[in-house]
């Protein structure tokens, strides 16, 4: 990952949320792109879930859920580009804050672990809705859940704690 940095992107052309890697080894990313630059931010699965749920709640509470389709933006998010260099990933996100900037824009503030790891960028309600849908799809597209212990099942086999260290039939 890149060294500590504080970035202000302004309005972004592209706002994507997704994963890179196979289930069980996925990394969650938030990706932004302007005409001048692009950046990836590494974040956790639970942060993606919260961003998705609270993003959709905010859109609904603000009256922005006007049935405008976001399928085109969500489909674009399925092609989350991979960072080509380690320096492309600015930092691991520790906190995400949203600030409403009128009827057609909001600012997202991402903070990392170091004091100077900050990034701000502006998105539209439509971009937020698409990002929220992408985040929730990514969260729910992982490994299957064991019906006995409710933990994720490994593709190579699952030693379920409910089976006391033995593989359960099924």
């Amino acid at each position: 990952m890149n060294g500590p940095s504080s970035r202000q992107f302004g309005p972004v052309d592209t706002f994507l949320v997704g994963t890179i890697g196979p289930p069980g080894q996925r990394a969650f990313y938030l990706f932004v792109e302007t005409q001048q630059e692009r950046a990836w931010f590494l974040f956790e699965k639970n942060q993606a879930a919260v961003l998705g749920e609270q993003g959709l709640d905010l859109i609904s509470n603000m009256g922005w859920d006007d049935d405008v389709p976001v399928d085109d933006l969500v489909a674009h998010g399925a092609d989350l580009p991979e960072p080509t260099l380690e320096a492309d990933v600015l930092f691991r996100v520790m906190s995400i804050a949203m600030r409403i900037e009128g009827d057609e824009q909001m600012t997202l503030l991402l903070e990392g672990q170091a004091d100077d790891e900050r990034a701000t960028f502006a998105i539209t309600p439509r971009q937020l809705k698409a990002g929220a849908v992408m985040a929730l799809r990514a969260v729910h597209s992982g490994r299957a859940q064991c019906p006995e212990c409710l933990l994720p099942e490994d593709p190579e086999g699952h030693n379920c704690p409910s089976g006391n260290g033995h593989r359960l039939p099924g």
Side-chain angles (χ1 to χ4, degrees):
M1 280 183 270
N2 205 358
S5 63
S6 182
R7 290 288 221 348
Q8 293 185 350
F9 290 92
V12 297
D13 301 314
T14 306
F15 172 70
L16 305 176
V17 179
T19 62
I20 296 174
Q25 300 171 2
R26 301 182 302 165
F28 283 77
Y29 289 94
L30 192 150
F31 171 79
V32 295
E33 182 175 43
T34 67
Q35 290 182 353
Q36 291 79 29
E37 63 183 323
R38 56 190 349 202
W40 289 258
F41 301 92
L42 188 59
F43 70 137
E44 298 296 325
K45 180 179 182 177
N46 63 344
Q47 290 172 308
V50 170
L51 178 64
E53 292 164 5
Q54 290 187 357
L56 291 178
D57 284 347
L58 177 64
I59 287 167
S60 177
N61 292 339
M62 293 300 296
W64 291 333
D65 196 11
D66 55 3
D67 296 327
V68 174
V70 293
D71 297 340
D72 58 327
L73 295 179
V74 173
H76 182 63
D79 298 324
L80 181 70
E82 288 194 39
T84 52
L85 303 170
E86 189 175 321
D88 290 339
V89 180
L90 293 187
F91 54 82
R92 179 179 291 276
V93 174
M94 300 304 286
S95 69
I96 303 170
M98 290 186 256
R99 182 176 68 222
I100 298 168
E101 305 279 347
D103 290 340
E104 294 300 318
Q105 187 171 305
M106 63 188 49
T107 298
L108 264 66
L109 167 66
L110 308 179
E111 293 184 316
Q113 200 164 14
D115 287 340
D116 56 353
E117 289 180 330
R118 282 197 174 93
T120 58
F121 51 89
I123 60 174
T124 65
R126 187 167 182 262
Q127 286 174 310
L128 176 61
K129 183 177 180 180
V133 170
M134 286 181 249
L136 292 174
R137 284 187 182 172
V139 166
H140 297 295
S141 68
R143 295 177 284 173
Q145 194 176 46
C146 173
E148 297 296 323
C149 68
L150 304 180
L151 293 173
E153 292 182 333
D154 291 322
E156 296 83 34
H158 177 64
N159 288 327
C160 181
S162 296
N164 199 21
H166 302 283
R167 289 193 182 169
L168 297 176

